[in-house]
Amino acid sequence: MEIKLSETREINIEDILVLYKANEWSSASKPNELYNGLLNSETLITAWEGKKLIGLGNAISDGFLTVYYPHLLVLPEYQGKGIGKLILNKMQEKYKHFHMQMLTADGKSVDFYKKNGFERAGKTEPMWIYQGNEH
């Protein structure tokens, strides 16, 4: 299995929807917003096996101090093979000098992020107004 990472914005919505639906993310029900949100992220890293999109991660940032990682997904059949870590490492190469790297993790992803250096931010309480249904 040869995996290539890319920062291309030349990605079609159909491939993105396959990835999001396979992971049962509710943002797949808003395809135009999802597509535009990803393409307008400061950073978009995609993982490919040949021409098949198998994972992606994005970052939203002020460009200097703070970065937020909203999405990191890998097709279920490719999970556990280090692809998410490759994407996260690429993000951290770019943002390692930032004062604050943030994300929201739940379920199985909590352990993944802990293994990769993230920790609960003091006594903070995650809060949001959320219109999804997978949490």
Side-chain angles (χ1 to χ4, degrees), residues 25-88:
W25 278 39
S26 60
S27 48
S29 69
K30 297 182 177 189
N32 292 328
E33 292 85 349
L34 173 60
Y35 185 68
N36 288 319
L38 290 172
L39 293 185
N40 283 287
S41 298
E42 179 176 272
T43 303
L44 177 63
I45 306 292
T46 51
W48 302 84
E49 183 180 47
K51 294 185 184 249
K52 182 178 184 178
L53 176 67
I54 60 170
L56 69 74
N58 71 323
I60 300 169
S61 175
D62 60 18
F64 298 93
L65 190 66
T66 304
V67 61
Y68 177 66
Y69 304 121
H71 295 182
L72 176 58
L73 298 91
V74 175
L75 284 173
E77 62 268 27
Y78 289 85
Q79 292 175 7
K81 299 176 190 254
I83 296 161
K85 183 162 179 52
L86 287 173
I87 295 169
L88 185 59

Side-chain angles (χ1 to χ4, degrees), residues 95-110:
Y95 297 108
K96 66 182 172 193
H97 64 284
F98 275 45
H99 180 68
M100 186 168 33
Q101 297 178 54
M102 303 170 58
L103 55 82
T104 302
D106 73 346
K108 295 184 293 184
S109 69
V110 172

